[in-house]
Amino acid sequence: VVCKQLRARGPGSALRPLRSPEGHSGTQSSHRLLAYSDALISIIATVMILPVAHTKVQDDEELRESVQALLATKIAVYLMTFLIVTVAWAAHIRLFQVVVRIDDCLALLNLACMMLITFLPYTFSLMATFPDNILGILLFCGCVMVIGVIQSLMVLYAFSRPFLLNEQIQISENQTFYKHHILKVIMRVPLMCFLASIASLIVFQLSYALLAIVIFLPYISQFLKWCRSKAMGKCQVEESPDSMLYYTYLPNEPLSKDRVEAFSDGVYAIVATLLILDICEDNIPDPAVVETQFGGRLIPALLVYGPEYLAYFGSFATVGLLWFVHHSLFLHVTKATRLMGLLNTFSLAFVGGLPLAYQLTHEFPRNSQNELEAIQISCVIIFFAGIFQLAIWVVALYSEQETLHPYVRYGGREHVFMLAKLALYPCVALGTFFLTCILSKFSASIFHLMEITVPFAFLVLRLLVRVGLALLRLIFCPDRPDPRTVVEEEEDETRVPFNTLVTELS
Amino acid sequence: VVCKQLRARGPGSALRPLRSPEGHSGTQSSHRLLAYSDALISIIATVMILPVAHTKVQDDEELRESVQALLATKIAVYLMTFLIVTVAWAAHIRLFQVVVRIDDCLALLNLACMMLITFLPYTFSLMATFPDNILGILLFCGCVMVIGVIQSLMVLYAFSRPFLLNEQIQISENQTFYKHHILKVIMRVPLMCFLASIASLIVFQLSYALLAIVIFLPYISQFLKWCRSKAMGKCQVEESPDSMLYYTYLPNEPLSKDRVEAFSDGVYAIVATLLILDICEDNIPDPAVVETQFGGRLIPALLVYGPEYLAYFGSFATVGLLWFVHHSLFLHVTKATRLMGLLNTFSLAFVGGLPLAYQLTHEFPRNSQNELEAIQISCVIIFFAGIFQLAIWVVALYSEQETLHPYVRYGGREHVFMLAKLALYPCVALGTFFLTCILSKFSASIFHLMEITVPFAFLVLRLLVRVGLALLRLIFCPDRPDPRTVVEEEEDETRVPFNTLVTELS
């Protein structure tokens, strides 16, 4: 049943022929509009790391101090942008789980919405630079209010043309009830923003608190409710009526898996390519300098930038492999939930910090205290990016019957391999961190060694897992049958063809 | 038959269950890998406009001179990057039309390939900065050779595991022939690069010519062949054997429509968001300046940046609407060909130039000669971006039975409306260009008026087209029946349900 509901909500349903489509040739599948919106939002969420990474850290002062100075404004802007833009993205997903087909008018309204979302980072920059001035918060509230009004317009427009709506709402008898429920949820945010902007005219510290509440209250309250109901038994969850199908804010509310993937792809892609931009802008030597200092020979002039190239290839490999792990994980996820989406957001926020790590690791002279700390910061960023990916899997395992493919469930034949894939980066980052603490002199070489050997570790990972499992079995229970037989038995249990399953469930 | 072939090649076939998939649980649908590659390549292709846009044009010299100075290096780097990266993208599409399923090893090899593609812009920067030094061209040749070797490895790997291949090749009897043909085509480029790098050691001007030939020769020769065969009649085209199904370089060779859309979405998204980055980095006033010059009042300090905000919203609207036109066009395209892909690339190259237009239009004092020229350059960029979109449609109309949805074919009920959508931007840009020539004093206001009114023009476009058609009919043939009846007759002709058609064909 869950699977059926999920499919009815997913973008796949947009392609299914509706009952009387001949009269409405202007309607279109929303698939590409959503892909474009995901690309825009993911870039906007990530791109604010550039001002952070471009802040030149002075060499004479200690790194820790300058990082603290950065933390005060630019990192705060980056994290705020990432968080708020992701919340806006979640609202966008909710809206387009109800409106599954579009026409020209909805497409144009959506573009207007996107324009305002891309303007949000500017309001955060204003807030961070002038924390005592209310203009930033007023601008932010204004943007959010206009976005809310546009989204309400889209809902009203879609309900006035029911063939644009989700099939379940189309056939539902209480369409008006749905409309009012959705409008109420959407308009709550602009209304609170209006209150916040009035409050900011009186006591502007109050408005920050009000804004934080308005954005996170539904999540927190629903999460608490959900925890309580879990603690008190299942009965209360079952009680929730059909009306709560959309806009529930429950942590197990389904999230379009396609859109989570598209958003993540955008973040990984922009992070990987921001690096080459820095290389192209900063690491082309000045022809005059080459002439005077290196006697016109280009190769020695380029060798000065050696650490930059190494850092570039290392960082690209890290981003690429984190994407690879994410890709492997979501290949086996059959249904994404809100909670998994939240953990994914945290993971991506750390991935977005990698350009900063890249900038720091090659900025300082070799074997200085600063370099050591820069490498440790990089390890911490990579560690958290990896550990949140692992957390997604743990949450998925918690309700594995609904969310995971049989192969990777507990006892499935790919279970241990997937665990190894997900655990590789956190373990390596942690190991590197402690190694750099002990062997402080070789820290840079250790770090680059780590970045370059990890791809090969992935190539031989399947072999390593086999060997490790065999060893474990040999040590702890040497009397049990040969592991090869066990593996084959497991295969028999889950002998459903992989392809058909993926086609059915995704 | 064409449709059947197309579907067999498209990514849709990747989801179809193959014959004996149970044994290979490691294989995966390539869909997300391709989406990620498209995102990476589109960002890499576009991001080199940033160094162009960030070049500060001195106010005292004439714009034309500084643009000429820019043309010499940075615009050349941008265009070269865009062109070469698009060629690499086309090669990537060819490869993954043959290899339709992936496993971990192929995914990692593909990431290595991507890493080298992202490094190509750096080699162009080197070439442009040191045109007399052979190091840039050697590095470029080295990258291309390694990419070629990796792609050959991927082909060999895929042919050693035939369940990864396209179904048509899987069931084909002469698999070995296919393998050799594909390897020959792939290895041709690295071999020529090897020759070019040897030539560069002797006469390095020769190597540039050699590289240009190696990259464009297959396209040009096949295009000439195709033109000749068209001129001499259809018979020769039919002669081409089954072996030429892939890697033919014919202009009507099908191109995966999904990937063209994904690539275009990436370019439009990155162009739209690069703008806000500039706003956030440059247009936050310095707190000290606000304190001293504006007496601590923020609003007057921000009003200084007024033209920037207007330019930002105008540029975002332009990019968004060009995407909207592209989206509307490809919604009705049922099959994309190489030639359409090429025209799309040209259109996107001009779209990528929009950040430059944005930078220029607000850089200069009002009513100066420079401002006028900046606005005219913007009009030219927008005009060409739009005219190449129109060209895609014209090419599609040329073989409309295969490539277009019945609704937009000549005589279909959406035909005129689509033409109006595609012609709107070129017409408006052209009109603005000539208006600025006549009313040189009001050029900036005219330009921003244009950028802001175009969205509304799109909203009422359907109405305008109806009125225009009615007027035309009234003027030229007042005796014919009421246009409303004609429209309804047309509707009857093409009464196939839109949704089912889209589902079948796409």
Side-chain angles (χ1 to χ4, degrees):
Chain A
V1 177
V2 172
C3 176
K4 209 172 169 185
Q5 281 183 3
L6 182 73
R7 262 191 290 167
R9 289 177 210 180
S13 63
L15 283 175
R16 231 180 284 161
L18 295 177
R19 260 150 305 130
S20 59
E22 295 104 288
H24 317 292
S25 73
T27 70
Q28 309 142 6
S29 153
S30 63
H31 177 72
R32 199 178 156 198
L33 182 83
L34 300 183
Y36 182 61
S37 306
D38 288 342
L40 270 180
I41 296 177
S42 61
I43 297 174
I44 277 297
T46 322
V47 95
M48 292 311 292
I49 196 69
L50 267 190
V52 182
H54 284 173
T55 308
K56 288 284 163 225
V57 185
Q58 294 307 102
D59 215 22
D60 48 325
E61 50 185 325
E62 280 295 303
L63 174 61
R64 199 167 289 161
E65 277 174 43
S66 32
V67 167
Q68 279 169 355
L70 280 176
L71 269 178
T73 55
K74 292 196 175 176
I75 291 184
V77 171
Y78 165 67
L79 287 178
M80 246 163 98
T81 307
F82 203 96
L83 217 62
I84 303 280
V85 167
T86 317
V87 169
W89 173 70
H92 193 264
I93 292 184
R94 278 204 190 86
L95 179 63
F96 281 93
Q97 279 176 340
V98 173
V99 183
V100 294
R101 296 186 64 76
I102 58 164
D103 61 4
D104 284 3
C105 188
L106 277 183
L108 289 173
L109 282 174
N110 184 59
L111 283 180
C113 205
M114 285 298 129
M115 181 153 83
L116 287 164
I117 290 178
T118 58
F119 197 66
L120 289 180
Y122 183 70
T123 65
F124 298 133
S125 301
L126 270 187
M127 281 189 221
T129 322
F130 301 95
D132 298 336
N133 201 304
I134 60 161
L135 193 67
I137 208 156
L138 281 182
L139 259 182
F140 173 77
C141 289
C143 279
V144 173
M145 280 191 275
V146 178
I147 292 173
V149 169
I150 293 177
Q151 289 199 338
S152 307
L153 275 180
M154 287 164 85
V155 169
L156 285 176
Y157 182 87
F159 271 91
S160 74
R161 287 159 180 74
F163 50 88
L164 297 173
L165 292 174
N166 187 311
E167 256 185 19
Q168 272 176 303
I169 296 184
Q170 246 185 82
I171 57 172
S172 155
E173 282 168 16
N174 43 5
Q175 249 184 43
T176 326
F177 174 79
Y178 271 119
K179 187 166 84 177
H180 290 308
H181 173 66
I182 292 168
L183 280 179
K184 217 165 62 190
V185 174
I186 288 180
M187 287 308 289
R188 203 163 53 190
V189 176
L191 272 180
M192 288 296 275
C193 275
F194 184 66
L195 288 182
S197 58
I198 288 175
S200 73
L201 294 174
I202 308 160
V203 196
F204 68 81
Q205 285 85 350
L206 190 73
S207 59
Y208 283 102
L210 217 58
L211 282 181
I213 288 173
V214 69
I215 289 162
F216 299 107
L217 191 66
Y219 295 92
I220 296 163
S221 74
Q222 284 294 343
F223 185 70
L224 288 178
K225 232 186 257 176
W226 182 74
C227 288
R228 206 169 47 211
S229 74
K230 277 275 167 191
M232 291 169 67
K234 291 270 178 185
C235 54
Q236 274 194 322
V237 179
E238 308 296 328
E239 253 183 293
S240 69
D242 185 55
S243 62
M244 296 294 274
L245 208 58
Y246 304 102
Y247 287 92
T248 60
Y249 294 92
L250 285 174
N252 60 351
E253 187 186 349
L255 198 66
S256 163
K257 192 190 149 211
D258 282 349
R259 296 201 61 184
V260 175
E261 289 183 354
F263 182 73
S264 311
D265 282 352
V267 171
Y268 284 108
I270 189 84
V271 168
T273 44
L274 285 179
L275 302 170
I276 195 65
L277 188 67
D278 287 334
I279 289 260
C280 284
E281 282 205 346
D282 302 338
N283 297 353
I284 298 287
D286 189 12
V289 172
V290 173
E291 199 55 52
T292 54
Q293 288 186 13
F294 298 94
R297 281 167 305 135
L298 190 55
I299 295 179
L302 288 181
L303 281 182
V304 175
Y305 297 121
E308 266 93 336
Y309 303 130
L310 208 61
Y312 168 68
F313 284 114
S315 299
F316 191 96
T318 309
V319 176
L321 289 174
L322 282 170
W323 175 83
F324 174 70
V325 172
H326 191 272
H327 165 250
S328 304
L329 174 63
F330 273 78
L331 204 68
H332 296 285
V333 167
T334 52
K335 175 194 156 190
T337 64
R338 291 274 152 191
L339 188 56
M340 285 158 74
L342 191 69
L343 291 171
N344 189 43
T345 303
F346 289 144
S347 170
L348 291 178
F350 281 100
V351 169
L354 279 175
L356 175 68
Y358 157 76
Q359 204 72 24
L360 289 177
T361 45
H362 69 74
E363 193 122 325
F364 300 104
R366 300 203 62 172
N367 298 327
S368 68
Q369 180 65 18
N370 281 342
E371 192 198 26
L372 182 68
E373 286 178 0
I375 285 165
Q376 287 175 345
I377 290 176
S378 304
C379 287
V380 169
I381 291 177
I382 296 172
F383 174 76
F384 277 106
I387 209 80
F388 278 114
Q389 287 184 336
L390 191 62
I392 298 174
W393 198 54
V394 172
V395 168
L397 274 180
Y398 185 73
S399 53
E400 58 177 12
Q401 297 295 333
E402 286 178 23
T403 53
L404 282 184
H405 189 272
Y407 280 154
V408 288
R409 285 185 201 155
Y410 184 73
R413 71 175 178 196
E414 296 276 318
H415 178 80
V416 182
F417 182 56
M418 180 58 76
L419 181 66
K421 257 188 191 173
L422 285 163
L424 187 58
Y425 256 110
C427 290
V428 170
L430 210 63
T432 313
F433 185 86
F434 287 119
L435 260 181
T436 51
C437 290
I438 302 165
L439 306 166
S440 59
K441 198 158 172 245
F442 305 103
S443 53
S445 24
I446 292 173
F447 185 68
H448 292 133
L449 205 72
M450 165 210 134
E451 290 198 318
I452 288 160
T453 50
V454 169
F456 298 102
F458 272 103
L459 274 179
V460 295
L461 193 61
R462 196 175 280 270
L463 199 73
L464 286 178
V465 169
R466 284 269 162 95
V467 172
L469 277 183
L471 276 179
L472 279 179
R473 284 208 178 89
L474 209 68
I475 294 166
F476 290 108
C477 36
D479 303 333
R480 281 184 55 184
D482 178 45
R484 193 172 296 273
T485 336
V486 176
V487 169
E488 271 170 23
E489 271 170 29
E490 279 171 11
E491 271 178 28
D492 283 332
E493 277 170 37
T494 54
R495 222 182 161 74
V496 203
F498 183 76
N499 293 289
T500 45
L501 255 170
V502 166
T503 320
E504 270 173 32
L505 291 170
S506 69
Chain B
V1 177
V2 173
C3 176
K4 208 172 169 186
Q5 281 183 2
L6 182 74
R7 262 191 290 166
R9 289 177 209 182
S13 62
L15 283 175
R16 231 180 284 161
L18 295 177
R19 260 150 304 131
S20 59
E22 295 104 288
H24 317 291
S25 74
T27 71
Q28 310 144 5
S29 152
S30 63
H31 177 71
R32 200 179 155 198
L33 182 83
L34 300 184
Y36 182 61
S37 305
D38 287 343
L40 270 180
I41 296 178
S42 61
I43 297 175
I44 277 296
T46 322
V47 96
M48 292 311 292
I49 197 69
L50 267 190
V52 182
H54 283 173
T55 308
K56 288 285 164 224
V57 185
Q58 293 307 102
D59 215 21
D60 48 324
E61 51 185 324
E62 281 295 304
L63 174 60
R64 198 167 291 161
E65 276 173 44
S66 32
V67 166
Q68 278 169 354
L70 279 176
L71 270 177
T73 55
K74 292 196 175 175
I75 291 185
V77 171
Y78 164 67
L79 287 178
M80 245 164 97
T81 307
F82 202 97
L83 218 62
I84 302 280
V85 167
T86 317
V87 169
W89 173 70
H92 193 263
I93 292 184
R94 278 203 190 87
L95 179 62
F96 280 93
Q97 279 176 340
V98 172
V99 183
V100 294
R101 296 186 65 74
I102 58 164
D103 62 4
D104 284 2
C105 188
L106 277 183
L108 289 173
L109 282 174
N110 184 59
L111 283 179
C113 205
M114 286 297 128
M115 181 153 83
L116 287 164
I117 289 179
T118 58
F119 196 66
L120 289 181
Y122 183 70
T123 65
F124 298 132
S125 302
L126 270 187
M127 281 189 222
T129 322
F130 301 94
D132 298 335
N133 201 305
I134 60 162
L135 193 67
I137 208 155
L138 281 182
L139 259 182
F140 173 77
C141 289
C143 279
V144 173
M145 281 191 275
V146 178
I147 292 173
V149 169
I150 293 177
Q151 289 199 340
S152 307
L153 276 180
M154 288 164 85
V155 170
L156 284 176
Y157 183 86
F159 271 91
S160 74
R161 287 159 180 75
F163 50 89
L164 297 172
L165 292 174
N166 187 310
E167 256 186 19
Q168 272 176 300
I169 296 184
Q170 246 184 84
I171 57 172
S172 155
E173 282 169 17
N174 43 5
Q175 251 184 43
T176 326
F177 174 79
Y178 271 118
K179 188 166 85 176
H180 290 307
H181 174 65
I182 293 168
L183 280 179
K184 217 164 64 190
V185 174
I186 289 181
M187 286 308 288
R188 203 163 52 191
V189 176
L191 272 179
M192 288 295 275
C193 276
F194 184 66
L195 288 182
S197 59
I198 288 176
S200 73
L201 293 175
I202 307 161
V203 196
F204 68 82
Q205 284 85 350
L206 190 74
S207 60
Y208 282 102
L210 217 58
L211 282 181
I213 288 173
V214 70
I215 289 161
F216 299 107
L217 190 66
Y219 295 93
I220 296 164
S221 74
Q222 284 293 343
F223 185 70
L224 289 179
K225 233 186 256 177
W226 182 74
C227 289
R228 207 170 45 210
S229 75
K230 277 275 167 192
M232 290 169 67
K234 291 270 179 185
C235 54
Q236 273 195 323
V237 179
E238 308 296 328
E239 253 183 294
S240 68
D242 185 56
S243 61
M244 297 294 275
L245 209 58
Y246 305 101
Y247 287 91
T248 61
Y249 293 92
L250 285 173
N252 60 351
E253 187 186 348
L255 197 67
S256 162
K257 192 188 150 212
D258 282 348
R259 297 200 61 185
V260 175
E261 289 183 355
F263 181 73
S264 311
D265 282 352
V267 171
Y268 284 108
I270 189 82
V271 168
T273 43
L274 284 180
L275 302 170
I276 194 65
L277 188 68
D278 286 334
I279 290 260
C280 284
E281 282 205 346
D282 302 339
N283 297 352
I284 299 287
D286 189 12
V289 173
V290 173
E291 199 56 52
T292 54
Q293 288 186 12
F294 298 94
R297 281 167 305 136
L298 190 55
I299 295 178
L302 288 181
L303 281 183
V304 175
Y305 298 120
E308 266 93 336
Y309 303 131
L310 208 61
Y312 168 68
F313 284 114
S315 299
F316 191 95
T318 308
V319 176
L321 289 174
L322 282 171
W323 174 83
F324 175 70
V325 172
H326 191 272
H327 165 251
S328 304
L329 174 63
F330 273 79
L331 204 68
H332 295 286
V333 167
T334 51
K335 174 195 155 189
T337 64
R338 291 274 152 190
L339 187 56
M340 286 158 74
L342 191 69
L343 290 170
N344 189 43
T345 302
F346 289 144
S347 169
L348 291 177
F350 281 100
V351 169
L354 280 174
L356 174 68
Y358 157 76
Q359 204 72 25
L360 289 177
T361 46
H362 70 74
E363 192 123 324
F364 300 103
R366 300 203 62 171
N367 297 328
S368 68
Q369 180 65 18
N370 281 342
E371 192 198 27
L372 181 68
E373 285 177 1
I375 285 165
Q376 287 175 345
I377 290 175
S378 305
C379 287
V380 169
I381 290 177
I382 296 172
F383 174 76
F384 277 106
I387 209 79
F388 277 114
Q389 287 184 336
L390 190 62
I392 298 174
W393 198 53
V394 172
V395 168
L397 274 180
Y398 185 73
S399 53
E400 58 177 13
Q401 298 295 333
E402 285 178 23
T403 53
L404 282 183
H405 189 271
Y407 280 153
V408 289
R409 286 185 201 156
Y410 184 73
R413 71 175 179 197
E414 296 276 320
H415 178 80
V416 183
F417 183 56
M418 180 57 77
L419 180 65
K421 257 188 190 171
L422 285 163
L424 187 58
Y425 256 109
C427 290
V428 170
L430 211 63
T432 313
F433 185 85
F434 287 119
L435 260 181
T436 52
C437 289
I438 302 164
L439 306 166
S440 60
K441 198 158 172 244
F442 305 103
S443 54
S445 24
I446 292 174
F447 185 69
H448 292 133
L449 204 73
M450 165 210 133
E451 290 198 318
I452 288 159
T453 49
V454 169
F456 298 102
F458 272 103
L459 274 178
V460 294
L461 193 61
R462 197 175 280 268
L463 199 73
L464 286 179
V465 169
R466 283 270 162 94
V467 172
L469 277 183
L471 275 179
L472 279 179
R473 284 208 177 89
L474 210 68
I475 294 166
F476 290 107
C477 37
D479 303 332
R480 281 184 55 183
D482 179 45
R484 192 172 297 273
T485 336
V486 176
V487 169
E488 271 170 24
E489 272 169 28
E490 278 171 11
E491 272 178 29
D492 283 332
E493 277 170 38
T494 54
R495 221 180 163 75
V496 202
F498 183 76
N499 293 288
T500 45
L501 254 170
V502 166
T503 320
E504 270 174 33
L505 290 171
S506 70

